Amino acid sequence: MSVKFTEEHEWIRVDGDIATVGITDYAQEQLGDVVFVEVPEEGKQLEQGDDAAVVESVKAASEIFAPITGEVTAGNAVLEDAPATINNDAEGDGWIFKMTIVDETELDDLMDTAAYKSYVADLD
Amino acid sequence: MRSSFIGWVRLFFCWRTKMTDHSQDLKKTPLDSLHRELGAKMVPFAGYDMPVQYPAGVLSEHLHTREQASLFDVSHMGQAAIRGDNPVAALEALVPGDLAALSNGQVRYTMFTNDQGGILDDLMVTRRGDHLFLIVNAACKDQDYALMQAGLAPGNALEIFEDRALLALQGPKAATVLGRLAPAARLLDFMTSEPISVGDIHCIISRSGYSGEDGYEISVPADEADRLARLLLNEDEVRPAGLGARDSLRLEAGLCLYGSDIDETTTPIQAGLIWTISQRRRSEGGFPGAAVIAKEIANGAARKRVGIKPEGKAPARAHTQITDKDGNIIGEITSGGYGPSVSGPVAMGYVKTAFAKPGTPVDLLVRGKAQPAQIFKLPFSEHRYYKG
């Protein structure tokens, strides 16, 4: 299971044919308390970079983008009643949606763990 | 993830200024080192480096304020005095508020108006012996001072206090806490102000605030602010809270934010602030825009500020369009977000008067989709001001 990161602070974890997407711990920390999440519907077709989901914190609304092209297979239903799961476990239970992988090479564009860490370090 | 966070901060600008924030030019309040020591997240706000939240976070700070007491640094706001031959008459020429009726120590909420009856800023005015003490919004203070310096009748002058800090202690435990340190504070009536010492720190304390809760606003010399803040934070019930919680608290309380809910295009009548204009001032006028305002009082205003409660869980933020059930645009949200004390989204905005009745069903265009909502009688969170 490999995990990759986007410059927009999404993470994507590949497990066989399905990828799971969420926002990073850094992102949830910047956002503050999450109060509402709009997850994409099953079956939604996403191109890399499309608007995929919305995460609203007390302070602001944030768009989450599709890190790769594919079709949504599931949205995390837990987030409907427990949006704060993203704050508590952004990179685990706070996953936002799952999708198929149309083109594996799109993952090559993304940062690995070390690259993301240093990317974030440069931001602060 | 792209966040509209910086856009949120932009909302707090006085529309009469241009946005010219540069991090290196940011002013600091006297509590700046304390904020950093407490781990505050600092953001630019009205030219100041201000704490938007502390490690606890906005939600926790908001809830704590309604349960116990929070301490806010609002030293960025302007503090000034009008002295001279007739400060009351001089300021009444610029605001619709009834200042002649103020007893000594009494605090009143009013606004500067323009010739179109629009609002230039909202402010608190206190009668203090022979002068008036003013607190104005940080984002507008330079313009407010210029307005007064140009507009006060000869024989009256504006004195600006650059060397004072302002702290707000808000919440149901505020009186208990402050009463421990300064017993006289417990006796203050709502919207009254007294010079009261906290230990050996000379303060001017008013029983007022921006949260909908009981609480105090404490004016203190800048060089005593840090010491006073630490004294208050030392009390078990008190935690620090930032501008994020300040905004969610006032929104739930149905209180206007200048630059968002009231501005030069809104009259006090449209904004639901007719209660700030006494009968005498309505009939006598003598403030900018008096004729326009009198006409609106007589004929009704075309639009009204209302509360709006989305039926679902999605917040609807400022600039969200409001439609009737047929999709016709009838208004716009001016402030919106999440209300921690009501565990759901809350909003304020303006709608055509015909739609202003509480319970009226409307739609909100959020991300292009119509989300059902209802007009709601403000406040979302009941006011708990001190009634003596």
Side-chain angles (χ1 to χ4, degrees):
Chain A
M1 243 196 295
S2 70
V3 64
K4 290 291 193 97
F5 298 87
T6 70
E7 288 188 357
E8 306 282 2
H9 307 288
E10 289 99 9
W11 56 264
I12 176 166
R13 188 173 290 123
V14 174
D15 189 8
D17 293 335
I18 299 295
T20 308
V21 180
I23 62 171
T24 63
D25 193 57
Y26 174 83
Q28 72 76 20
E29 225 258 306
Q30 292 298 305
L31 267 183
D33 300 301
V34 176
V35 296
F36 173 76
V37 185
E38 190 183 283
V39 303
E41 274 165 25
E42 204 180 299
K44 181 156 189 200
Q45 303 293 329
L46 294 169
E47 299 276 317
Q48 187 180 41
D50 275 356
D51 290 352
V54 176
V55 174
E56 296 239 23
S57 72
V58 188
K59 298 189 287 201
S62 289
E63 264 130 44
I64 312 304
F65 303 109
I68 58 169
T69 303
E71 180 181 308
V72 176
T73 57
N76 189 349
V78 156
L79 298 178
E80 160 119 28
D81 289 326
T85 311
I86 291 187
N87 295 118
N88 301 333
D89 193 10
E91 298 183 17
D93 289 342
W95 63 272
I96 300 175
F97 64 97
K98 294 184 192 280
M99 64 189 302
T100 62
I101 305 162
V102 158
D103 179 1
E104 276 196 348
T105 67
E106 282 183 339
L107 290 162
D108 299 338
D109 300 333
L110 308 180
M111 293 179 271
D112 62 17
T113 307
Y116 180 68
K117 261 207 179 95
S118 99
Y119 169 69
V120 163
D122 284 342
L123 287 174
D124 278 335
Chain B
M1 173 196 84
R2 190 185 311 125
S3 200
S4 58
F5 173 63
I6 296 303
W8 174 85
V9 171
R10 274 191 197 143
L11 285 178
F12 290 91
F13 278 89
C14 182
W15 295 132
R16 292 138 68 211
T17 63
K18 278 198 196 140
M19 215 174 78
T20 51
D21 261 351
H22 305 287
S23 289
Q24 59 272 29
D25 296 342
L26 287 178
K27 292 180 266 201
K28 296 183 186 304
T29 74
L31 298 184
D32 188 79
S33 3
L34 175 59
H35 297 318
R36 289 170 202 279
E37 207 180 289
L38 293 170
K41 194 167 278 187
M42 306 294 282
V43 294
F45 186 99
Y48 283 81
D49 215 1
M50 294 298 289
V52 68
Q53 65 179 59
Y54 298 84
V58 175
L59 213 67
S60 167
E61 292 167 27
H62 175 116
L63 292 170
H64 186 82
T65 308
R66 296 218 189 282
E67 283 159 26
Q68 299 208 55
S70 294
L71 185 67
F72 300 81
D73 177 13
V74 288
S75 303
H76 57 320
M77 299 185 79
Q79 301 180 54
I82 300 177
R83 296 176 199 277
D85 297 339
N86 197 338
V88 163
L91 189 54
E92 278 201 354
L94 301 175
V95 304
D98 193 335
L99 307 180
L102 288 176
S103 53
N104 198 29
Q106 196 180 352
V107 185
R108 182 147 287 170
Y109 172 67
T110 186
M111 56 230 49
F112 294 113
T113 51
N114 63 20
D115 290 336
Q116 292 74 47
I119 298 171
L120 297 171
D121 195 13
D122 58 350
L123 66 153
M124 299 287 252
V125 180
T126 305
R127 186 187 199 119
R128 298 204 56 227
D130 64 350
H131 62 276
L132 295 175
F133 175 68
L134 277 56
I135 297 181
V136 296
N137 282 313
C140 301
K141 63 181 172 181
D142 291 339
Q143 294 90 317
D144 294 346
Y145 295 154
L147 178 77
M148 285 186 277
Q149 278 156 345
L152 292 173
N156 300 283
L158 182 72
E159 180 187 342
I160 300 166
F161 300 119
E162 303 283 14
D163 59 349
R164 296 193 73 86
L166 192 68
L167 274 54
L169 182 69
Q170 300 284 301
K173 297 292 188 193
T176 303
V177 166
L178 195 53
R180 262 180 227 138
L181 304 172
R186 299 211 65 136
L187 304 173
L188 270 181
D189 285 331
F190 180 56
M191 296 296 271
T192 66
S193 165
E194 291 281 324
I196 295 176
S197 289
V198 178
D200 60 349
I201 304 174
H202 297 134
C203 305
I204 303 166
I205 302 184
S206 64
R207 199 151 193 168
S208 58
Y210 196 45
S211 63
E213 301 296 324
D214 185 21
Y216 301 89
E217 290 171 312
I218 307 168
S219 172
V220 60
D223 58 11
E224 297 275 43
D226 184 277
R227 194 154 70 92
L228 176 65
R230 288 176 196 272
L231 271 175
L232 292 167
L233 288 169
N234 203 43
E235 297 297 304
D236 281 342
E237 298 93 333
V238 181
R239 293 191 198 155
L243 296 182
R246 182 168 164 84
D247 186 48
S248 54
L249 286 161
R250 69 93 195 164
L251 176 58
E252 282 186 349
L255 302 173
C256 292
L257 172 62
Y258 187 77
S260 296
D261 312 298
I262 49 176
D263 61 28
E264 293 182 37
T265 72
T266 64
T267 68
I269 312 310
Q270 294 162 14
L273 300 175
I274 189 173
W275 59 269
T276 66
I277 312 177
S278 68
Q279 284 302 334
R280 174 180 73 84
R281 301 242 51 208
R282 288 180 213 185
S283 53
E284 287 179 7
F287 55 89
V292 173
I293 287 170
K295 203 155 160 216
E296 273 195 352
I297 293 175
N299 303 337
R303 59 175 178 163
K304 286 181 74 172
R305 181 176 64 98
V306 292
I308 299 134
K309 183 91 185 79
E311 282 175 23
K313 294 186 181 168
R317 300 192 185 255
H319 310 300
T320 299
Q321 289 184 309
I322 305 169
T323 72
D324 62 16
K325 284 308 201 182
D326 297 322
N328 304 304
I329 294 175
I330 57 168
E332 187 176 293
I333 289 180
T334 52
S335 290
Y338 181 76
S341 301
V342 302
S343 302
V346 293
M348 262 202 289
Y350 287 82
V351 292
K352 291 185 184 171
T353 303
F355 295 90
K357 196 167 137 197
T360 304
V362 296
D363 280 333
L364 308 175
L365 297 181
V366 178
R367 288 182 284 276
K369 286 199 288 219
Q371 302 280 7
Q374 283 194 17
I375 303 300
F376 190 93
K377 182 164 164 35
L378 293 166
F380 293 96
S381 181
E382 286 310 309
H383 293 169
R384 299 193 291 178
Y385 299 135
Y386 179 63
K387 296 215 187 329

